[in-house]
Amino acid sequence: MKSSLKKTSPKTFNYDISKKRFRFSDWFAEKFIKSIAFLSIAFVILIFVFVFREAFPVFRMDVKETVTAEPMVQERYGVDDKSAAAEPEKSKETSPAKKVSVPSSTLLSKDWMPVSDNPRYGLIPLFLGTFKVTIIALLFAAPIAILAAIYTAMFAKPRLREIIKPVIELLAGFPSVVIGFFALMVMATVLQEIFGYASRLNSFVGGIAMALAAIPIIYTLTEDSLTAIPKTYIEASLGLGASMRQTAFYVVLPAAVPGIFAAVLLGVGRIFGETMIALMATGNAALVNINPFDSVRTLSATIGAEMAEVVFGDTHYSVLFLIGSLLFIFTFFLNAVAEFYLKNVVIRRFQSKK
Amino acid sequence: MNDIKVHVKDLDLHYGVNPALKKVNIMIPEKMVTAFIGPSGCGKSTFLRTLNRMNDLIENVKIDGEVRIDDIDIYGKEIDVVNLRKKVGMIFQKSNPFAKSIYENIAFGPKINGITHKDTLDEIVEKSLRQAAIWDEVKGRLYNSALSLSGGQQQRICIARTLAVNPEIILMDEPASALDPISTAKIEELIHELKQDYTIIIVTHNMQQAARTSDYTAFFYLGELVEFNKTETIFSNPSKRQTEDYISGRFG
């Protein structure tokens, strides 16, 4: 050993630690990863800014005239100018400043008729439609997902669990257009035969299809929050002579409620923003009623259906962006609440104990 | 010696293919404190958990032999595990009260047994908390979260919770290992009082604790029961070399 030490020149061991070295690869890697991380935040912020900027003209009375005035004529297809001008509400035609003021007053009306002669941009049917679909989807998705999660987390044998969990999670990877297509071609027909309602595509069909999209999210997060409950809890309950069912429903489930709440919120976010399924399976009629078997038009489907045909910079265009920003705010809010719950309530509750 | 409460005959336990307990034979007396000592991984906790079939929860556990409690083989086909666990309560190393109020924690056991009458529940809660010597500390805040208590108090809440289901045997898996000396003393005092009415089996790393609290001591090593005798005998005059080495601190 000694001889080998002598052989190697003393320089190899003589690291100079008195001076800090600049290591380019480390520096570069760190900066690169950092910039990537900030880039994704920047994207979100930029989208946010863009969407809001485009929606903003709706609330401003007298700006953007130059942009909006020009393409107006093109939009009113199939209607002659005279009859259009005759209508009192037809502010679109008259002065550009007034034209932009129309939507903000009609936003709360009950009609969504953006391309009519007398365009009305009532968001109420869209909100109601989204609300209906969300409620129906949630009524299906939440119980199924939560019960499935309880089963896999508490009752299933490990081997069975290894099958069920990935299969349900696989559903999350399903392209929504496939689910929408299935709903459109198969589910709509079958459900109509069973329930015998009039319109084939409606909020009921759309809701169930969206439930399929939301189940994996709610399931996965619920399962996670159930398995996050310390094992000692379960043992304590069983040690007191509680059965597995009593343990699952009286001990584990109540302890996991904040996590399940967050899971459901994220599921709502998914349903809320779901466009393809809504477009394909809900019928897209902007009606105002609470019958689940009537067609509805959701907020996101409205953007999806109309954005391609709208005139750039037009009022309709701005209103669609307004809808986009509302969706953005809503899902942002949902995610923030869910995140807050997960971080502050669930984690703190169990970490303080350790 | 009192009557035999637990009689274990030739108990073998395997985790998969690894043996954890080898031919354990022991007779545990009623209404006494029996301590299991031994180095980590010697199987003492595993053995404790066979006595209320807590090992059933773990996959790939294979158990051979007999565990008789009051002369009933608890691994028999007709045994109702849920009721067995009511009879054989358990206290864990880490205090694990539910994230509920103190009252709800104690009332949980009676409630799942179908007791819903408020006055009866109140009575059971008070009685159990008194037995666990914690009534005076918590009587003013029964509806506060049990997690707001100190570690030692939480552990006594867990004991009270177990007492509320009226067990005959109480298994304690290192009940004081995570506690400060004062709380430990309280728990030990409590064990001393509880043995009037209950058969107590305690697993401990702490040999002084075994010497202080128990009437009988079993020494486990590498899955085998090396020696089982009166605590004084084990600590003053052990018959096996390994026991002596462990007690005198030569290993473990």
Side-chain angles (χ1 to χ4, degrees):
Chain A
M1 274 302 279
K2 260 193 176 176
S3 61
S4 73
L5 262 177
K6 270 186 181 174
K7 260 183 204 168
T8 49
S9 81
K11 270 177 198 165
T12 42
F13 286 110
N14 188 16
Y15 292 115
D16 183 6
I17 57 166
S18 64
K19 191 171 153 271
K20 215 178 208 172
R21 265 167 212 247
F22 177 72
R23 291 180 178 81
F24 178 75
S25 49
D26 290 356
W27 174 86
F28 180 76
E30 193 200 316
K31 295 290 179 224
F32 182 72
I33 299 168
K34 190 176 171 186
S35 55
I36 295 285
F38 278 98
L39 198 65
S40 44
I41 297 175
F43 274 134
V44 175
I45 292 172
L46 282 176
I47 293 171
F48 199 76
V49 169
F50 175 74
V51 170
F52 275 78
R53 197 182 56 118
E54 296 298 317
F56 199 58
V58 175
F59 298 106
R60 288 212 294 185
M61 300 303 176
D62 31 35
V63 208
K64 292 264 175 188
E65 324 84 354
T66 42
V67 196
T68 46
E70 189 84 39
M72 274 313 308
V73 194
Q74 290 173 330
E75 203 210 348
R76 297 177 293 101
Y77 47 82
V79 185
D80 61 305
D81 282 30
K82 275 177 195 168
S83 66
E87 284 182 37
E89 278 252 294
K90 262 246 31 74
S91 38
K92 263 199 166 192
E93 179 80 323
T94 51
S95 99
K98 235 184 169 185
K99 176 223 141 251
V100 193
S101 76
V102 172
S104 49
S105 61
T106 64
L107 282 178
L108 295 176
S109 77
K110 282 184 173 181
D111 300 306
W112 175 257
M113 293 180 171
V115 288
S116 85
D117 218 16
N118 169 24
R120 273 150 294 168
Y121 302 99
L123 297 182
I124 288 177
L126 306 184
F127 266 108
L128 190 73
T130 310
F131 187 68
K132 261 161 78 176
V133 171
T134 307
I135 292 288
I136 291 165
L138 213 55
L139 284 179
F140 276 92
I144 293 174
I146 292 170
L147 289 176
I150 290 174
Y151 175 71
T152 41
M154 301 290 300
F155 295 96
K157 295 233 156 62
R159 197 175 298 164
L160 200 56
R161 182 167 179 251
E162 293 308 311
I163 299 170
I164 296 173
K165 199 167 147 69
V167 167
I168 296 182
E169 283 169 350
L170 206 66
L171 205 60
F174 250 63
S176 51
V177 67
V178 175
I179 297 177
F181 189 66
F182 174 72
L184 178 69
M185 302 308 289
V186 183
M187 268 167 54
T189 315
V190 172
L191 289 172
Q192 192 179 28
E193 268 167 27
I194 297 171
F195 293 96
Y197 41 70
S199 49
R200 190 169 160 275
L201 297 176
N202 52 45
S203 57
F204 184 66
V205 176
I208 294 178
M210 285 196 201
L212 290 179
I215 280 172
I217 292 181
I218 302 178
Y219 168 82
T220 310
L221 290 165
T222 304
E223 221 262 353
D224 286 350
S225 59
L226 288 174
T227 44
I229 303 300
K231 196 140 200 237
T232 54
Y233 253 56
I234 298 165
E235 288 182 339
S237 171
L238 293 174
L240 290 169
S243 66
M244 205 50 162
R245 174 190 63 85
Q246 289 167 324
T247 304
F249 286 94
Y250 302 148
V251 176
V252 178
L253 197 61
V257 157
I260 296 171
F261 180 68
V264 171
L265 281 189
L266 291 175
V268 171
R270 172 83 157 91
I271 296 164
F272 218 75
E274 180 52 61
T275 309
M276 219 16 154
I277 295 174
L279 211 52
M280 292 171 85
T282 57
N284 292 315
L287 305 175
V288 180
N289 66 38
I290 52 160
N291 182 358
F293 299 126
D294 267 339
S295 294
V296 291
R297 192 179 190 89
T298 69
L299 292 165
S300 53
T302 304
I303 301 178
E306 296 172 15
M307 193 48 96
E309 293 157 16
V310 82
V311 177
F312 180 79
D314 178 26
T315 314
H316 187 190
Y317 174 87
S318 293
V319 172
L320 289 186
F321 271 98
L322 178 70
I323 294 173
S325 20
L326 290 174
L327 276 175
F328 195 106
I329 292 171
F330 192 79
T331 43
F332 183 80
F333 180 72
L334 276 180
N335 283 326
V337 171
E339 188 82 348
F340 172 80
Y341 246 87
L342 276 176
K343 283 256 160 64
N344 289 291
V345 184
V346 186
I347 296 172
R348 190 182 298 163
R349 181 183 283 189
F350 295 110
Q351 280 185 345
S352 62
K353 258 186 78 228
K354 278 169 194 166
Chain B
M1 193 162 174
N2 294 25
D3 292 343
I4 300 301
K5 186 74 178 171
V6 183
H7 190 170
V8 179
K9 287 180 204 162
D10 290 336
L11 186 80
D12 272 320
L13 185 143
H14 294 258
Y15 289 124
V17 290
N18 306 316
L21 292 173
K22 298 168 202 159
K23 293 271 175 274
V24 174
N25 285 286
I26 195 169
M27 286 189 266
I28 294 167
E30 191 173 24
K31 293 188 182 169
M32 293 251 177
V33 180
T34 304
F36 294 169
I37 59 170
S40 296
C42 67
K44 56 192 188 308
S45 285
T46 301
F47 181 58
L48 190 77
R49 293 164 70 96
T50 58
L51 301 181
N52 69 345
R53 293 187 60 172
M54 215 42 129
N55 286 326
D56 288 14
L57 300 178
I58 304 164
E59 281 290 300
N60 288 328
V61 169
K62 201 169 143 273
I63 295 167
D64 299 301
E66 268 180 37
V67 178
R68 290 186 170 275
I69 294 177
D70 289 343
D71 218 34
I72 298 166
D73 183 5
I74 61 165
Y75 285 91
K77 273 183 191 155
E78 298 293 308
I79 290 297
D80 185 285
V81 181
V82 168
N83 282 336
L84 168 74
R85 292 192 186 128
K86 283 172 190 157
K87 202 171 166 180
V88 187
M90 189 159 194
I91 310 293
F92 298 86
Q93 181 173 7
K94 217 171 84 181
S95 59
N96 53 359
F98 303 127
K100 299 177 180 184
S101 70
I102 295 167
Y103 183 93
E104 285 296 321
N105 262 282
I106 312 297
F108 178 82
K111 271 186 182 169
I112 57 173
N113 284 327
I115 297 173
T116 49
H117 192 244
K118 181 82 170 78
D119 293 345
T120 320
L121 282 176
D122 287 350
E123 227 170 82
I124 295 173
V125 169
E126 182 175 342
K127 183 172 156 252
S128 311
L129 287 169
R130 278 188 194 283
Q131 269 185 301
I134 195 176
W135 171 253
D136 291 330
E137 288 161 65
V138 300
K139 63 183 171 191
R141 44 179 174 154
L142 286 179
Y143 296 96
N144 289 10
S145 169
L147 297 180
S148 64
L149 301 172
S150 76
Q153 288 173 323
Q154 286 189 15
Q155 193 61 293
R156 278 180 286 152
I157 290 290
C158 292
I159 294 175
R161 184 175 65 181
T162 304
L163 296 177
V165 257
N166 242 333
E168 291 172 25
I169 302 172
I170 302 175
L171 309 176
M172 298 187 174
D173 192 352
E174 303 194 33
S177 70
L179 302 180
D180 60 279
I182 294 168
S183 304
T184 304
K186 280 186 183 161
I187 299 275
E188 286 179 9
E189 205 176 299
L190 183 58
I191 291 171
H192 201 73
E193 269 162 41
L194 290 176
K195 76 170 178 181
Q196 324 280 328
D197 303 307
Y198 305 92
T199 305
I200 295 174
I201 304 173
I202 175 170
V203 162
T204 178
H205 257 110
N206 181 333
M207 278 177 282
Q208 282 74 34
Q209 186 171 57
R212 282 193 300 262
T213 55
S214 68
D215 304 302
Y216 284 83
T217 298
F219 171 62
F220 284 81
Y221 185 60
L222 297 177
E224 282 176 72
L225 175 63
V226 178
E227 193 169 349
F228 175 58
N229 213 328
K230 284 207 156 118
T231 302
E232 305 99 78
T233 318
I234 289 268
F235 281 92
S236 58
N237 188 21
S239 58
K240 297 262 173 62
R241 180 72 194 273
Q242 281 168 316
T243 316
E244 198 184 339
D245 284 353
Y246 182 71
I247 285 163
S248 57
R250 233 163 281 169
F251 77 96

